[in-house]
Amino acid sequence: MRPLLHFTAAASHRQHHSLRRHLIRTFINARIKWVRDPYLDTAVEREKNLKPLLLLKTLILSQPSQTIPLSTVSPMKPHLHLPTTAKKFIEKYPSIFKLYLPPSKTMPLPHVKLTQKAISLHHEELLMLSLSHYRKDVAERLAKLLMLARCRKSPLYLIDMFKYDLGLPHDYLLTFLPEFPEYFQISDMGFRDSSGNVVLGLELVSWRKDLAVSAMEERVKSQGENERRIKFLMNLPRGFDLENRVMEWVKEWQNLPYISPYENAFHLAPNSDQAEKWAVGVIHELLSLLLSKKTERENIFRLGEFLGFTRLRFKKALVHFPGIFYVSNKIRTQTVVLREEYKKNVLIERHPLMGMRNKYINLMNRVLRRGKPIRSGFVGRKKGNSFIKGGRRKGDDNRYRIDDDDDE
């Protein structure tokens, strides 16, 4: 563990003044306005309905016949996070789902199955998810998430909240964790839920020093910079104007020592600038671990509370640094995005699973006209020709392209 800041009672007046600069906020009453970022809003909105669609796809394929009665899906709307009725949702995506009446029945009930295109895409996804290097990458991301907690473990309900963002299989307890006994074990969290039941958690078997390196530290190492004077990348959107006194505060704040999110710095005064830099570092590292570099704000708050941070502390960290984090209000929730990982509305470094999800999005955005599938609208519009239908850019790898063949 690297040493943190230490001050003695015999410090000089100058040292005392420096201590005060580190402990007080100089812009606590400054108003930091929220400015909409249309590019990052597009990045968030583009994945609208993707998660419930994938949940429904998994449910259908879990059936022996790979079909399911519509009447069975409808009551599961809350569990599947469907934004509308099951029937309307299914009919909205005819390139993914197909409603039909089973033959050889007197009064058949409507069933739903996947189109051939969706099944082919699912098989391609399964092949990628089975690759050993992909599974090891996900295991390391999960291990680092557990290492953010001092106890090296987290309740399973919190892991489930980040399951989609980390790229874990839906049945990871049975199909994924047994592959990594040297990493993980199920353990008792030592407390009970509101119903009096024992809360189970996922525990890291042992601390992994090789993984206790944050994304910020990796960046400065690769660039040969001073690891104790790490500065966060700031990228304010067009039209954003911080007050001069706030800009001065941010410059001083950036020069404070960087404390790794894998260190314990709860001894710092919670309202100090140094403690805020550590809290920002924890949120930054969490978002860096996620495949899309974004997640719902509520997920961040709930994990923060388990780690020992108050909601107010994390909320201030998000509000005070709009150049680091962007909070989007799209798709019926608030989503926190790590700005530095995006160039306009496109992820700079796309994880293989994000490439697969992009294929599902492209297939979702196709509609039927006269029985033939076509593209539906533009995603990520931009003047000129740098963006084309489906959100693809010129030069994008053809692996992410969806053919325009008929589904059947």
Side-chain angles (χ1 to χ4, degrees):
M1 302 285 281
R2 290 187 289 274
L4 304 180
L5 297 177
H6 295 282
F7 297 94
T8 66
S12 65
H13 174 75
R14 183 175 178 181
Q15 289 174 314
H16 178 69
H17 178 69
S18 176
L19 171 62
R20 283 182 56 79
R21 277 197 307 115
H22 288 169
L23 293 183
I24 64 173
R25 295 183 187 276
T26 54
F27 85 118
I28 188 66
N29 295 319
R31 183 176 178 82
I32 307 298
K33 66 176 183 177
W34 177 86
V35 176
R36 180 173 177 267
D37 189 320
Y39 289 109
L40 294 182
D41 277 346
T42 298
V44 171
E45 200 165 25
R46 187 165 189 265
E47 295 185 32
K48 179 181 179 180
N49 293 340
L50 176 60
K51 188 174 180 180
L53 182 140
L54 294 176
L55 287 172
L56 179 54
K57 179 207 73 166
T58 300
L59 174 64
I60 294 170
L61 293 177
S62 68
Q63 308 302 309
S65 64
Q66 296 195 343
T67 69
I68 189 169
L70 179 62
S71 58
T72 301
V73 178
S74 296
M76 301 182 70
K77 175 184 172 182
H79 173 73
L80 297 171
H81 306 289
L82 299 180
T84 183
T85 65
K87 185 173 185 293
K88 287 183 178 179
F89 186 82
I90 289 164
E91 290 176 339
K92 183 179 177 66
Y93 300 109
S95 293
I96 304 285
F97 304 113
K98 180 175 287 188
L99 281 172
Y100 74 103
L101 295 176
S104 304
K105 289 191 176 181
T106 306
M107 297 182 65
L109 295 174
H111 278 55
V112 58
K113 64 179 180 179
L114 297 180
T115 64
Q116 193 56 50
K117 279 284 187 182
I119 292 174
S120 297
L121 200 52
H122 173 73
H123 289 159
E124 185 180 346
E125 180 184 10
L126 287 181
L127 180 61
M128 187 206 70
L129 295 178
S130 67
L131 298 176
S132 59
H133 65 272
Y134 169 85
R135 298 176 81 80
K136 188 171 188 298
D137 171 75
V138 174
E140 291 181 350
R141 290 172 189 270
L142 179 57
K144 288 167 78 79
L145 179 68
L146 296 175
M147 289 168 63
L148 291 176
R150 287 170 291 171
C151 57
R152 302 198 312 272
K153 59 183 178 180
S154 175
L156 289 178
Y157 68 79
L158 279 181
I159 301 298
D160 287 342
M161 284 173 53
F162 289 98
K163 177 171 63 176
Y164 175 81
D165 296 322
L166 287 168
L168 283 167
H170 72 281
D171 54 353
Y172 70 97
L173 290 174
L174 299 175
T175 64
F176 183 80
L177 295 185
E179 293 182 30
F180 300 94
E182 73 279 16
Y183 277 81
F184 311 111
Q185 63 184 16
I186 304 296
S187 64
D188 184 344
M189 291 300 300
F191 58 88
R192 296 177 180 269
D193 61 19
S194 57
S195 301
N197 300 316
V198 172
V199 174
L200 296 178
L202 186 63
E203 183 175 7
L204 192 65
V205 173
S206 60
W207 183 265
R208 304 187 73 91
K209 186 177 179 181
D210 58 317
L211 297 180
V213 182
S214 69
M216 294 285 290
E217 291 169 313
E218 291 281 7
R219 175 172 61 82
V220 299
K221 275 184 178 181
S222 65
Q223 298 175 354
E225 298 176 7
N226 186 337
E227 292 184 45
R228 296 303 291 173
R229 286 294 182 266
I230 295 177
K231 295 182 179 181
F232 292 91
L233 297 177
M234 296 279 189
N235 181 22
L236 291 170
R238 183 180 299 179
F240 203 104
D241 184 26
L242 287 177
E243 297 178 28
N244 288 335
R245 63 193 181 108
V246 176
M247 290 298 294
E248 287 300 318
W249 183 91
V250 170
K251 288 179 181 177
E252 289 191 14
W253 180 87
Q254 286 273 40
N255 287 324
L256 292 174
Y258 173 81
I259 302 174
S260 169
Y262 299 107
E263 294 183 24
N264 180 6
F266 276 107
H267 64 280
L268 295 171
N271 289 330
S272 68
D273 292 346
Q274 182 69 75
E276 182 158 66
K277 186 166 185 178
W278 179 54
V280 168
V282 172
I283 300 174
H284 183 284
E285 181 67 4
L286 169 62
L287 292 173
S288 297
L289 294 176
L290 308 181
L291 304 186
S292 64
K293 314 305 178 187
K294 60 182 172 15
T295 191
E296 292 185 24
R297 190 179 73 157
E298 184 63 22
N299 293 348
I300 293 177
F301 286 166
R302 291 187 65 181
L303 178 65
E305 287 174 332
F306 173 71
L307 297 179
F309 296 91
T310 64
R311 280 184 173 240
L312 181 60
R313 194 167 170 186
F314 264 17
K315 184 177 181 180
K316 286 181 176 179
L318 295 176
V319 170
H320 287 169
F321 301 96
I324 303 174
F325 309 116
Y326 176 66
V327 182
S328 173
N329 296 317
K330 294 294 183 179
I331 61 173
R332 307 176 299 276
T333 187
Q334 290 188 304
T335 304
V336 181
V337 185
L338 187 56
R339 282 190 181 276
E340 69 190 62
E341 295 290 347
Y342 282 81
K343 183 176 182 180
K344 294 188 176 178
N345 64 344
V346 180
L347 265 172
I348 295 174
E349 185 177 345
R350 185 188 292 176
H351 189 275
L353 184 55
M354 291 306 297
M356 286 302 310
R357 289 177 180 175
N358 190 60
K359 290 186 175 185
Y360 280 108
I361 291 171
N362 285 345
L363 191 55
M364 288 167 63
N365 289 335
R366 295 169 68 191
V367 298
L368 296 177
R369 179 182 296 167
R370 295 179 183 176
K372 293 184 178 181
I374 61 168
R375 294 271 183 202
S376 174
F378 287 79
V379 180
R381 288 191 179 188
K382 183 179 181 294
K383 291 181 180 179
N385 294 318
S386 59
F387 284 83
I388 60 176
K389 289 183 180 180
R392 292 179 60 247
R393 296 175 298 162
K394 281 189 174 180
D396 271 7
D397 194 313
N398 285 332
R399 289 176 300 171
Y400 304 118
R401 186 174 184 176
I402 298 293
D403 296 330
D404 287 329
D405 302 337
D406 289 349
D407 286 324
E408 298 301 329

